[in-house]
C-alpha cells in the first residue's frame, strides 16, 4: 500500500548508515567510504553521538549490540552493560534510609560499559585503526559542533541546579557562566583531551591494530580514566533525587574487573522471520513474547494505523510487560524461565486474555515454582499520582510527554555494509543531567542502577556485580534464516513498543521502512516504569493525534485511557535492511528533525 512519506527510503548497494543524529550518520558513512566495515562505522557513529547528543548518551554509558558477521556467519549479542559496584548491597542503600535507588547523582552509577563494548567490537570485527574511528568524535569535542536546541534547553533548564549543587557540571556545560546557544558551536575540550590521551597512550605502547585497542581498554578501565572516576566517587558528595548528597560506590577495582562479553541472542520465529534480541537482562524478550501472543491473530487484515491493530498490539504488550516485571533479570544471578515464557503452550493460555476491551489489570502469567516471586513483584507496583516533573537526571522519557528537558534518553545506530555485515546498537546513559561531571575527564557518570529494587527476593533486587535490567533493546531480524533487517529506537520502556509497530507493518502490510516509521505511533504506560519513581498508569494509551479523531474515539470506546500527544512527537526509530540481491535500504524518523539515514 504505497503512501506518502516525509523523506525517501534510502536505497543503495555500497552501504547504509542510519542514526539519531546526522553528524553520527555522516561519521559512520565516512568509515565505509574509507574502506571500513559496518562495525567500524557503528563505533565511529557511537563516539560522535556521545559528543553531539550529551543529554542522551555519554562516555560513561552503556550499549547493547546485536551484530551479524558475514565473515563468521554468526549473529551475536555484545553486552556493553556494566555491572553494579562490589559495594552495592541492599544493606548499603537501606542504611542510608533509601527505599528507591536515586535516579540521579553518584549512588546510581554502575561500571561504564560502552567504551569496552566498542573496543571489543573493533578488536574482533573492525578493520580501521583506533585513531581513524575516534577522530570525528575528538574533532567535534575540540573544535565544536552546532548545538542541538534540545541540548541547549537541557543545559538551560539545569543551569541553576548545576551552579548550586554540581559545580563541575557548571564548568563544563556553562562555559563562562553562560548557557550555550542553540545552533552555535559548542566545545568540550576536556573530553577531547581525554579521548586524545587514550588514543595516544595506546599508540605509544606500540603493536598492531588489535594491540592498540587493548591498550586503549587498559587506559580506560585500569589507567587514568578509572583512577579519576575512583577519586571522584570517593571524594565527592553529590545531590541526587533523594534530596540528599551521597558519595558514589564505584571504584577503580570495579572497573578493572569488568569487560564486555558476547552471548547468544534470544530468538523467536514469526511468519518466516526470526527476531534476535538480548537476554532478560534487557527488555528485549518482551518483543519476542508479544510476537508469540500475536502469532495467531490476523494482523495483515488490520489497518496498520487502525483501531483493531492498535488495540490488539497494546493488549498483547501489556501481558508481555507484566511478565517482564515478575521474571526478567540478570540470568547470571536469577533463574529466568524464558523457555516457558516463549513456549506455545504458555502463549496460548495468555492469548485468551486479549479481549475487545482495554485491560486495567497488571496480569503477569503464573509459572510453577515462581508463585512467591510473582506475588512479591506485584506488591512493589506504584501507581502514578500528580508527582510532577522529576529531579535532574531522573529517569528516561518516552518523548510523548515533552514536559521537561531534565530527563535523559537514548540514541540508536543501524549499519549494513556491502559485504553483508550488519549491526544494531542502542547506546545510552551518562547523560549530562544525570550526574556531576568528573572534572579531569569532561563527562558525567551513568545512573543505570536506578533500575534495581531495594527489596529482596526480586529478579531485579540490588546485588553486587549484577547487571541492571536495562530498557535498551536493539533488534536484528532474519528472513528464511538469512540476516535481513536491523532496527531500533531510543525511548526507555517504549523502545520495543515502537519497534514492534514498525516490524509488524513491515511484515504484514508490506510497508517499506520509511513508510512504517512515518505512520503514527502509540504506546502503553500500563505497567511500572523502569525508571525513578517507578510508577504505572493503568490503562494509559499514548497516541499521536495524527491517528485521527475517529480512531481516537474508537479507542476510548474500547475503554483505553487515551492520552493524545502532538503528531511527530512519539518515537525515534531508525532501520536498515538488506535484500537477497544485495540492495540495501535505510530509513530514519522525521521526529525531532535530527535522525538521518545515509547510503549509496
Amino acid at each position: 500500500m504505497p503512501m506518502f512519506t516525509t523523506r525517501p527510503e534510502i536505497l543503495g548497494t555500497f552501504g547504509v548508515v542510519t542514526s539519531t543524529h546526522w553528524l553520527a550518520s555522516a561519521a559512520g558513512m565516512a568509515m565505509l567510504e574509507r574502506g571500513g566495515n559496518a562495525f567500524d562505522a557503528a563505533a565511529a557513529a557511537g563516539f560522535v553521538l556521545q559528543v553531539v547528543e550529551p543529554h542522551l548518551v555519554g562516555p560513561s554509558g552503556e550499549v547493547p549490540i546485536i551484530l551479524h558477521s558475514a565473515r563468521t556467519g554468526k549473529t551475536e549479542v555484545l553486552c556493553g552493560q556494566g555491572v553494579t559496584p562490589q559495594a552495592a548491597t541492599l544493606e548499603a542503600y537501606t542504611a542510608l534510609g533509601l527505599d528507591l535507588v536515586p535516579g540521579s547523582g553518584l549512588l546510581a552509577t554502575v561500571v561504564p560499559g560502552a567504551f569496552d563494548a566498542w573496543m571489543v567490537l573493533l578488536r574482533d570485527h573492525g578493520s580501521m585503526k583506533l585513531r581513524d574511528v575516534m577522530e570525528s568524535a575528538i574533532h567535534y569535542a575540540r573544535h565544536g559542533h552546532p548545538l542541538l536546541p534540545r541540548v541547549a534547553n537541557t543545559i538551560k533548564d539545569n543551569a541553576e541546579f548545576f551552579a548550586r549543587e554540581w559545580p563541575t557540571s557548571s564548568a563544563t556545560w556553562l562555559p563562562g557562566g553562560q548557557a550555550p546557544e542553540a545552533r552555535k558551536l559548542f566545545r568540550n575540550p576536556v573530553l577531547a583531551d581525554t579521548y586524545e590521551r587514550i588514543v595516544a597512550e595506546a599508540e605509544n605502547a606500540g603493536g598492531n591494530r588489535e594491540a592498540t585497542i587493548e591498550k586503549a581498554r587498559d587506559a580506560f578501565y585500569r589507567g587514568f580514566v578509572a583512577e579519576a572516576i575512583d577519586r571522584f566517587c570517593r571524594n565527592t558528595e553529590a545531590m541526587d533525587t533523594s534530596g540528599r548528597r551521597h558519595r558514589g560506590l564505584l571504584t577503580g577495582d570495579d572497573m578493572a574487573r569488568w569487560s564486555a562479553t558476547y552471548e547468544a541472542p534470544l530468538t523467536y520465529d514469526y511468519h518466516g522471520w526470526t527476531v534476535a534480541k538480548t537476554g532478560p537482562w534487557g527488555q528485549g524478550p518482551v518483543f519476542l513474547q508479544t510476537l508469540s501472543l500475536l502469532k495467531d491473530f490476523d494482523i495483515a487484515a488490520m489497518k496498520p494505523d487502525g483501531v483493531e491493530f492498535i488495540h490488539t498490539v497494546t493488549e498483547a504488550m501489556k501481558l508481555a510487560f507484566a511478565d517482564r516485571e515478575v521474571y526478567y533479570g540478570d540470568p547470571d544471578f536469577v533463574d529466568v524461565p524464558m523457555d516457558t515464557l516463549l513456549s506455545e503452550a504458555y502463549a496460548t493460555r495468555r492469548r485468551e486474555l486479549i479481549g475487545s476491551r482495554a485491560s486495567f489489570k497488571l496480569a503477569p502469567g503464573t509459572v510453577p515454582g515462581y508463585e512467591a516471586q510473582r506475588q512479591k513483584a506485584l506488591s512493589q507496583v506504584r501507581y502514578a499520582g500528580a508527582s510532577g516533573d522529576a529531579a535532574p537526571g531522573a529517569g528516561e522519557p518516552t518523548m510523548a510527554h515533552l514536559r521537561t528537558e531534565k530527563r535523559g534518553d537514548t540514541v540508536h545506530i543501524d549499519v549494513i555494509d556491502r559485504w553483508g555485515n550488519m549491526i544494531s546498537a542502542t547506546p545510552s546513559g551518562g547523560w549530562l543531567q544525570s550526574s556531576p561531571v568528573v572534572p579531569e575527564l569532561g563527562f558525567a557518570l551513568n545512573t543505570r542502577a536506578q533500575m534495581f529494587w531495594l527489596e529482596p527476593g526480586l529478579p531485579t533486587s540490588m546485588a553486587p556485580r549484577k547487571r541492571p535490567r536495562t530498557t535498551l533493546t536493539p533488534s536484528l531480524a532474519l528472513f528464511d534464516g538469512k540476516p535481513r533487517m536491523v532496527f531500533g529506537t531510543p525511548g526507555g520502556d517504549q523502545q520495543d513498543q515502537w519497534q514492534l509497530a514498525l516490524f509488524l507493518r513491515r511484515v504484514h502490510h508490506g510497508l517499506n521502512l520509511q513508510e512504517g516509521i512515518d505512520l503514527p505511533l502509540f504506546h502503553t504506560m500500563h505497567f511500572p516504569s523502569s525508571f525513578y519513581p517507578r510508577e504505572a498508569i493503568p490503562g494509559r494509551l499514548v497516541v499521536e493525534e495524527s491517528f485521527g479523531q475517529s480512531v481516537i474515539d474508537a479507542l476510548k470506546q474500547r475503554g483505553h485511557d487515551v492520552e493524545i500527544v502532538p503528531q511527530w512527537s512519539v518515537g525515534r526509530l531508525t532501520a536498515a535492511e538488506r535484500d537477497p540481491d544485495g540492495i540495501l535500504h535505510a530509513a530514519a524518523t522525521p521526529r525531532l528533525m535530527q535522525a538521518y539515514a545515509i547510503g549509496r
Side-chain angles (χ1 to χ4, degrees):
M1 49 176 295
M3 56 175 288
F4 171 79
T5 59
T6 57
R7 57 184 77 173
E9 182 188 57
I10 299 298
L11 298 175
T13 56
F14 177 80
V16 290
V17 181
T18 181
S19 82
T20 49
H21 195 294
W22 65 88
L23 291 179
S25 297
M29 194 67 198
M31 289 293 98
L32 298 184
E33 296 286 3
R34 293 167 62 181
N37 62 26
F39 311 118
D40 301 309
F47 281 112
V48 167
L49 287 169
Q50 295 172 4
V51 177
V52 300
E53 294 202 86
H55 62 316
L56 307 180
V57 66
S60 81
E62 50 275 323
V63 57
I65 295 168
I66 300 183
L67 64 100
H68 179 84
S69 167
R71 175 177 56 85
T72 67
K74 293 175 65 176
T75 299
E76 296 180 286
V77 169
L78 178 53
C79 176
Q81 175 56 65
V83 299
T84 51
Q86 184 62 39
T89 63
L90 285 173
E91 294 76 16
Y93 287 87
T94 56
L96 296 171
L98 298 170
D99 63 353
L100 286 176
V101 179
S104 64
L106 297 176
L107 271 180
T109 297
V110 303
V111 174
F115 188 85
D116 204 55
W118 291 127
M119 292 301 104
V120 170
L121 177 75
L122 290 172
R123 181 196 66 190
D124 297 343
H125 299 286
S127 64
M128 304 287 284
K129 292 181 179 179
L130 179 62
R131 180 173 293 278
D132 294 334
V133 172
M134 296 190 67
E135 66 180 357
S136 289
I138 294 171
H139 172 86
Y140 286 126
R142 186 170 307 286
H143 300 290
H145 56 94
L147 196 67
L148 290 170
R150 288 180 68 84
V151 182
N153 291 340
T154 299
I155 295 170
K156 181 179 178 181
D157 284 356
N158 287 284
E160 182 180 342
F161 179 84
F162 286 170
R164 185 176 71 250
E165 296 291 349
W166 295 354
T168 58
S169 293
S170 186
T172 298
W173 305 113
L174 298 158
Q178 299 296 316
E181 292 184 48
R183 305 187 186 280
K184 301 295 185 181
L185 283 180
F186 181 83
R187 301 172 178 85
N188 187 344
V190 179
L191 176 58
D193 289 344
T194 296
Y195 275 154
E196 179 61 44
R197 180 176 172 183
I198 289 173
V199 173
E201 287 190 7
E203 291 176 335
N204 292 339
N208 60 15
R209 190 186 73 87
E210 291 79 8
T212 300
I213 291 170
E214 286 298 313
K215 293 298 183 182
R217 297 176 73 197
D218 285 341
F220 197 99
Y221 289 92
R222 286 161 287 278
F224 78 95
V225 175
E227 291 167 2
I229 290 173
D230 184 295
R231 283 194 303 272
F232 192 70
C233 288
R234 290 180 188 275
N235 299 325
T236 304
E237 289 191 339
M239 178 64 71
D240 56 42
T241 51
S242 71
R244 288 178 286 150
R245 298 176 183 87
H246 296 105
R247 289 188 175 89
L249 301 177
L250 184 66
T251 68
D253 183 63
D254 293 319
M255 295 183 64
R257 294 171 62 190
W258 182 84
S259 63
T261 53
Y262 290 103
E263 59 188 55
L266 277 179
T267 61
Y268 187 79
D269 295 334
Y270 181 84
H271 292 270
W273 293 77
T274 300
V275 180
K277 300 289 281 187
T278 69
W281 53 268
Q283 76 175 12
V286 164
F287 190 105
L288 307 182
Q289 280 197 254
T290 308
L291 290 181
S292 75
L293 294 168
L294 294 174
K295 187 168 68 173
D296 288 347
F297 286 92
D298 189 0
I299 302 295
M302 304 175 186
K303 289 183 60 178
D305 56 353
V307 174
E308 196 67 31
F309 179 83
I310 301 168
H311 172 81
T312 304
V313 172
T314 296
E315 294 307 299
M317 289 191 299
K318 289 178 182 177
L319 296 173
F321 274 103
D323 281 348
R324 183 192 73 166
E325 293 309 301
V326 173
Y327 300 110
Y328 291 16
D330 185 349
D332 292 340
F333 283 75
V334 296
D335 182 18
V336 184
M338 285 311 311
D339 287 345
T340 298
L341 297 176
L342 290 174
S343 69
E344 180 58 32
Y346 185 80
T348 298
R349 294 195 304 271
R350 300 280 283 157
R351 200 177 292 125
E352 294 174 356
L353 299 177
I354 300 174
S356 61
R357 298 283 299 172
S359 171
F360 275 65
K361 181 181 180 182
L362 189 67
T366 300
V367 177
Y370 293 80
E371 292 85 358
Q373 181 174 302
R374 182 180 186 276
Q375 188 59 38
K376 168 77 80 169
L378 288 173
S379 72
Q380 301 305 305
V381 178
R382 301 173 181 228
Y383 293 103
S387 54
D389 286 342
E396 189 165 351
T398 65
M399 278 187 54
H401 290 187
L402 302 177
R403 294 174 184 142
T404 176
E405 300 288 356
K406 297 180 180 179
R407 293 173 177 262
D409 199 355
T410 301
V411 297
H412 187 77
I413 306 158
D414 297 303
V415 186
I416 305 177
D417 64 28
R418 63 189 185 275
W419 300 288
N421 299 304
M422 56 181 67
I423 181 170
S424 180
T426 310
S428 186
W431 311 309
L432 72 86
Q433 66 275 31
S434 68
S435 192
V437 165
V438 182
E440 305 99 313
L441 302 178
F443 62 80
L445 296 177
N446 67 74
T447 53
R448 194 56 63 173
Q450 67 180 285
M451 322 295 278
F452 287 105
W453 289 102
L454 297 181
E455 286 285 332
L458 296 169
T460 50
S461 296
M462 177 67 74
R465 297 190 59 76
K466 186 176 183 180
R467 285 177 290 186
R469 190 205 71 201
T470 178
T471 56
L472 308 174
T473 174
S475 300
L476 188 151
L478 302 89
F479 185 71
D480 286 343
K482 294 181 173 58
R484 186 70 176 265
M485 181 177 172
V486 282
F487 55 105
T489 179
D493 293 309
Q494 283 64 53
Q495 290 178 29
D496 276 321
Q497 302 193 57
W498 300 331
Q499 291 182 64
L500 186 65
L502 168 63
F503 180 73
L504 294 173
R505 289 163 173 172
R506 173 73 188 87
V507 170
H508 292 292
H509 303 105
L511 301 187
N512 71 39
L513 299 179
Q514 196 65 52
E515 290 170 337
I517 287 171
D518 280 7
L519 275 182
L521 287 168
F522 61 96
H523 63 263
T524 177
M525 300 175 69
H526 176 80
F527 51 87
S529 168
S530 295
F531 296 91
Y532 185 95
R534 312 298 298 270
E535 294 176 328
I537 310 177
R540 177 63 56 85
L541 177 61
V542 177
V543 299
E544 288 185 304
E545 63 182 350
S546 41
F547 276 111
Q549 196 60 49
S550 62
V551 169
I552 291 169
D553 289 343
L555 290 169
K556 291 178 179 179
Q557 289 169 7
R558 291 196 177 213
H560 294 280
D561 175 15
V562 177
E563 178 180 351
I564 305 167
V565 296
Q567 63 180 340
W568 308 119
S569 68
V570 170
R572 293 177 67 199
L573 287 158
T574 70
E577 187 173 346
R578 184 178 191 269
D579 291 342
D581 63 1
I583 291 179
L584 305 178
H585 307 244
T589 183
R591 295 161 174 90
L592 297 190
M593 299 299 289
Q594 63 192 58
Y596 236 85
I598 303 177
R600 70 169 179 87

